[in-house]
Amino acid sequence: MDTTLTTPEQIARYRFATLRAALKLEIAGMKKRGDSAYAILKAEGFTGTRAAVLHQLNEQLCGQA
């Protein structure tokens, strides 16, 4: 089933969910080219260690549900 994201809020939520998945992989030890998900999230205003940023992101995404 395909889902179309049409509102800016839906797009932002999907982006943060994707960054959360990437951050989980970074915490597990995977690396990727370019900016890390951690660096992107820090630029978005999240603070703390990778684990703390993941916790903040989980709270933000679960709070929007």
Side-chain angles (χ1 to χ4, degrees):
M1 183 166 135
D2 293 333
T3 303
T4 304
L5 304 175
T6 56
T7 66
E9 293 82 18
Q10 290 173 327
I11 294 167
R13 183 170 170 79
Y14 184 81
R15 179 174 177 262
F16 279 130
T18 303
L19 286 169
R20 178 179 61 180
L23 184 59
K24 284 181 181 180
L25 291 173
E26 285 178 15
I27 290 171
M30 286 190 97
K31 304 218 182 239
K32 71 175 198 73
R33 291 185 181 187
D35 292 337
S36 68
Y38 179 64
I40 294 168
L41 289 164
K42 293 279 281 193
E44 293 284 332
F46 290 91
T47 59
T49 63
R50 283 178 168 80
V53 169
L54 179 61
H55 181 73
Q56 293 169 33
L57 193 54
N58 284 333
E59 286 181 348
Q60 181 177 351
L61 286 172
C62 292
Q64 291 179 357

